[in-house]
Amino acid sequence: MTRTGVDIGGTFTDVIVFNERTGEIEITKTPSTPSNPAEGVINGLLKADTEIADLDFFSHGSTVGTNALIERELPRIGLITTEGFRDVHEIRDATKSELWDAYEDVAEPYVQRRDRLEVPERVDAAGEIVEPLDEAATRTVARLLRKRGIDTVAVSLVNAYANGEHEQCVAEIVAEEHPDAFVCTSNEILPEMFEHERTSTTVINAALVPVVREYLTDLSTQLSDRGYDGDVLAMHSGGGVMTTKAIAYYAARIANSGPTAGAIASQYIAQQCGFENAIGFDMGGTSADASLTYQGDIEMTDEWAVEYGYPIMFPSTDIETIGAGGGSVAWIDDGGSLRVGPKSQGADPGPACYLRGGDKPTTTDANVVLGWIDPDEFLGGDMDATAEPAERVIQRDIADPLGLDLTEAASAVEQIAVANMSNTVRLVSTSKGYDPRDFALIAFGGAGPVHAANVATEMNIPTVIVPPYPGINSALGCLLVDVEHDLSRTFIADATPDVADDLEAAFAEMEGEIRERLAGEDIDDDEIRMDHEVKMRYTGQWRSLEVPCSRPIDDVESIRRRFHRRHEQTYAYSDDAQPVEIYGLHVTGSGVVDKPSFPTIDAGDAADAHRGTREAYFKESGAYVETDIYDREALGAGATIDGPAIVNQMDSTIVIPPHATAAMDEIGNIRITV
């Protein structure tokens, strides 16, 4: 079987093709095409020697949904809600990202007030109908949406999580009065309490369906036209993949898919290398992402957002992102301080050294000036680039205004970039009770291996692991996942032994729905794995923690004990004497697919891979020093390298500073000890 994984990034589209029969791996990298993401994917596949018609499996991650939300490139959306609740979407939860900033403006709602329409109805918190749905008023609202040309409609009625009958009736009426409209209802998207969170998730999902459907249809068509006849799978934020049929309704699930693929690959690489605890560090052209694996499991979150105030409540890998990529712009603020990011030059025009019209200094330009990156070797020499523009823009915009020489300015840019990236690592580790010294740092992305050793030094992380193909690690992650669906449900009860039967019945019902979805995607019963979690909290608390459990549920006390341990780890506090409340249930169903296995490499000596020396600047030395250059493709298992050194390969550069050493293991990972 020939498998391919693709990651559509903000700067590059990465492709990995793995032939299971021969063990051969092909990788390609091509600039992304934001206006037509499918074009970048096809360009990358066409660069590979393997024909598209010969592919048996296609899975990809994408930033299309995320970028659409960030840039607000969305269709006009209508929202139908209960009379009197029109402004829930705009009022939000009344919090701000900067609590003490009186001048901060919150993000605009995704649905303008004039397009938020009300219908008379009421369901109470127990799911009982207090006021029947006014069907005549609903038809009037549906006709108004059609008259305004609004073809994307979200329905979120009060307490619909407890009883979705009215929402289903609204959806049916809209379908009758406005057949061209896409409608999604909150009781299908997120049957959980809290009106704002449920409404926000439903609105975002509705908004993304037309965007995602357009590019997936285009991609599927282009692949089919070239002979591919398999499923077009897409990574979703929870760490599995979905078919295009499922994504056509649950589009918000893939909004965080690219970074999630990287987190999956980090977990896989850490396990290969014998580490149960690992921090994934993905630095690309636009941003740096950090994720965390603890005791073999990726840390997850059930609430995240692209813009503060508008949460997406689908489960997602817990990823922190910062605008610190290779294309991040270095600039001087009004106070005369040097900053790096969050603005980025992206793929177009890119850093100045790319020769594509970029005229602002970036992190990549600074790395070129420091001698860490040879612009003649970008993409294995397939990309035109040169150092002169990098030197010019850093001298003009950074060195001259700050009274520094060129090298000092470039080094300052690098140090600030490392500080920014270290803060991202802190957000997934120390801020959540984890000690970075207990973890390995998995460095990937086109720019991650350049900076990883310095980030690890800053964070006291002892080991850095650079996988064989760091620039396409997220694409690799797309080959390592299962077809997956999950369901959440509000379930409020005291965590006492007498609730076990009710828990068992609820889990059984949720499992049945997931099995039905997976069967619709041609997954056999014997290929399905189910994971169960109970959301719990101390009685009277607001926030809850997810605690894993297994069926059959016959011992609630053991689940309580796991909750206390989890609370102690997360908040450094627990109290076994306090009553515990169950808040909700979560079930994940996975259709397990075969994973690729990669061959070991032959033993070798570093001398065989030595390709000369180059002058490179390191802060520890305070000067340019003669630095050994190695070709990673020629390094064999057991080869050791003392810093300072630079290891080149097609999709990335690895920088080993003077204080570090590196060794190649038998499966092709470079392990750096700092």
Side-chain angles (χ1 to χ4, degrees):
M1 177 177 282
T2 302
R3 298 171 175 269
T4 186
V6 178
D7 176 46
I8 306 173
T11 304
F12 288 103
T13 293
D14 307 324
V15 176
I16 178 170
V17 180
F18 178 67
N19 187 314
E20 289 186 335
R21 182 177 58 82
T22 65
E24 293 178 352
I25 294 173
E26 288 184 82
I27 61 171
T28 68
K29 204 174 183 74
T30 188
S32 295
T33 50
S35 61
N36 183 3
E39 181 182 344
V41 174
I42 298 300
N43 289 342
L45 291 172
L46 292 176
K47 286 179 68 176
D49 292 334
T50 304
E51 296 291 332
I52 293 176
D54 294 334
L55 299 177
D56 301 299
F57 177 90
F58 178 93
S59 175
H60 78 296
S62 168
T63 58
V64 171
T66 307
N67 292 341
L69 292 172
I70 292 172
E71 298 167 7
R72 293 294 182 109
E73 295 291 335
L74 302 167
R76 186 175 175 184
I77 313 157
L79 172 62
I80 299 176
T81 189
T82 303
E83 189 173 53
F85 289 80
R86 180 184 190 183
D87 295 318
V88 165
H89 179 52
E90 187 165 0
I91 294 171
R92 304 174 299 111
D93 59 3
T95 64
K96 300 171 69 174
S97 58
E98 297 293 337
L99 183 62
W100 305 111
D101 186 352
Y103 299 99
E104 181 193 31
D105 292 327
V106 298
E108 290 289 324
Y110 290 105
V111 187
Q112 298 305 307
R113 193 171 195 271
R114 69 188 303 267
D115 296 331
R116 303 195 296 263
L117 306 176
E118 301 173 328
V119 294
E121 68 87 37
R122 195 59 185 265
V123 172
D124 66 16
E128 299 295 327
I129 295 176
V130 177
E131 178 184 350
L133 174 70
D134 188 330
E135 295 189 14
T138 304
R139 291 190 182 277
T140 300
V141 164
R143 291 167 186 157
L144 181 58
L145 291 170
R146 184 183 63 189
K147 182 179 179 180
R148 293 180 180 178
I150 298 175
D151 297 331
T152 303
V153 181
V155 181
S156 183
L157 305 180
V158 170
N159 294 325
Y161 69 91
N163 183 346
E165 180 181 333
H166 283 177
E167 284 197 345
Q168 292 306 310
C169 186
V170 169
E172 292 168 4
I173 290 172
V174 173
E176 293 171 6
E177 299 291 339
H178 189 5
D180 295 331
F182 169 77
V183 183
C184 70
T185 60
S186 73
N187 76 298
E188 289 185 297
I189 298 299
L190 188 74
E192 294 186 19
M193 64 188 299
F194 296 126
E195 298 307 313
H196 165 57
E197 288 82 353
R198 182 162 50 87
T199 300
S200 173
T201 303
T202 306
V203 164
I204 289 171
N205 188 80
L208 286 180
V209 164
V211 176
V212 171
R213 186 168 53 199
E214 180 180 353
Y215 105 81
L216 281 177
T217 300
D218 185 19
L219 178 59
S220 298
T221 300
Q222 293 204 46
L223 288 170
S224 178
D225 289 345
R226 289 169 171 81
Y228 177 70
D229 59 3
D231 288 326
V232 176
L233 301 176
M235 172 75 84
H236 66 68
S237 60
V241 288
M242 300 169 70
T243 62
T244 51
K245 182 166 63 176
I247 296 165
Y249 195 79
Y250 298 99
R253 295 301 307 269
I254 70 168
N256 204 29
S257 65
T260 294
I264 295 289
S266 297
Q267 177 195 41
Y268 172 77
I269 291 159
Q271 290 173 343
Q272 276 192 321
C273 296
F275 290 92
E276 284 198 319
N277 299 339
I279 296 172
F281 172 59
D282 177 8
M283 182 179 177
T286 305
S287 62
D289 303 318
S291 61
L292 186 138
T293 297
Y294 179 68
Q295 294 184 349
D297 294 324
I298 297 175
E299 292 294 286
M300 305 291 290
T301 181
D302 58 4
E303 179 178 346
W304 59 284
V306 173
E307 291 186 281
Y308 184 86
Y310 297 100
I312 300 173
M313 301 297 290
F314 290 135
S316 172
T317 50
D318 191 3
I319 295 172
E320 295 291 343
T321 301
I322 189 172
S328 294
V329 176
W331 54 287
I332 298 172
D333 67 17
D334 292 340
S337 297
L338 177 61
R339 303 289 187 92
V340 179
K343 293 182 180 179
S344 174
Q345 293 289 80
D348 186 15
C353 61
Y354 279 14
L355 299 178
R356 292 184 174 176
D359 195 40
K360 295 180 180 179
T362 66
T363 305
T364 295
D365 292 315
N367 297 153
V368 168
V369 170
L370 295 174
W372 295 2
I373 295 177
D374 184 349
D376 293 333
E377 296 172 351
F378 278 140
L379 297 188
D382 289 343
M383 182 174 175
D384 291 332
T386 186
E388 188 279 327
E391 297 169 352
R392 174 174 50 80
V393 294
I394 290 179
Q395 184 69 49
R396 182 194 66 198
D397 293 352
I398 307 299
D400 290 346
L402 294 178
L404 304 173
D405 65 32
L406 178 64
T407 302
E408 290 173 331
S411 180
V413 170
E414 164 63 19
Q415 291 177 57
I416 291 173
V418 168
N420 290 340
M421 291 179 278
S422 298
N423 285 336
T424 308
V425 173
R426 287 188 182 93
L427 289 174
V428 298
S429 57
T430 54
S431 68
K432 297 181 179 179
Y434 297 105
D435 187 341
R437 293 173 295 184
D438 297 332
F439 291 76
L441 187 71
I442 314 297
F444 57 101
V450 176
H451 309 275
N454 287 330
V455 171
T457 301
E458 178 79 12
M459 295 299 301
N460 292 317
I461 298 172
T463 302
V464 175
I465 298 172
V466 182
Y469 308 103
I472 51 87
N473 207 54
S474 292
L476 170 64
C478 294
L479 298 183
L480 302 172
V481 293
D482 301 318
V483 178
E484 187 176 282
H485 288 276
D486 54 65
L487 284 177
S488 295
R489 175 180 296 182
T490 296
F491 183 102
I492 298 177
D494 293 332
T496 55
D498 58 359
V499 80
D501 290 342
D502 292 336
L503 282 174
E504 178 66 17
F507 274 135
E509 184 179 338
M510 295 168 75
E511 272 196 24
E513 184 173 342
I514 289 177
R515 288 183 184 278
E516 186 176 332
R517 291 186 188 180
L518 290 171
E521 296 182 301
D522 299 323
I523 303 297
D524 296 332
D525 271 354
D526 58 357
E527 296 174 333
I528 295 176
R529 184 189 69 237
M530 292 287 179
D531 295 306
H532 309 79
E533 291 179 313
V534 181
K535 298 179 181 179
M536 306 178 77
R537 59 193 179 190
Y538 287 119
T539 302
Q541 279 190 330
W542 172 43
R543 297 193 180 277
S544 60
L545 294 172
E546 292 193 350
V547 179
C549 65
S550 58
R551 290 187 62 199
I553 305 295
D554 53 14
D555 183 8
V556 176
E557 183 57 34
S558 65
I559 303 175
R560 277 174 52 94
R561 289 195 295 270
R562 283 195 290 273
F563 167 75
H564 290 306
R565 291 196 297 269
R566 183 69 185 272
H567 203 279
E568 177 73 31
Q569 177 197 329
T570 305
Y571 300 113
Y573 166 80
S574 65
D575 187 347
D576 294 356
Q578 288 292 327
V580 177
E581 180 182 56
I582 296 172
Y583 158 64
L585 309 178
H586 181 221
V587 179
T588 301
S590 303
V592 180
V593 300
D594 293 333
K595 308 298 190 299
S597 57
F598 300 108
T600 58
I601 63 174
D602 294 332
D605 190 273
D608 298 329
H610 193 264
R611 297 294 182 265
T613 61
R614 182 167 73 235
E615 291 284 318
Y617 180 89
F618 293 94
K619 183 181 66 173
E620 298 96 321
S621 305
Y624 284 89
V625 296
E626 200 71 22
T627 302
D628 291 311
I629 310 297
Y630 296 90
D631 176 7
R632 179 165 186 166
E633 299 301 320
L635 282 172
T640 59
I641 298 172
D642 292 325
I646 293 170
V647 181
N648 290 324
Q649 65 184 94
M650 189 278 284
D651 63 333
S652 68
T653 297
I654 305 168
V655 176
I656 305 167
H659 65 274
T661 60
M664 177 77 87
D665 68 19
E666 63 178 8
I667 49 179
N669 299 296
I670 290 183
R671 305 190 188 198
I672 303 173
T673 303
V674 300

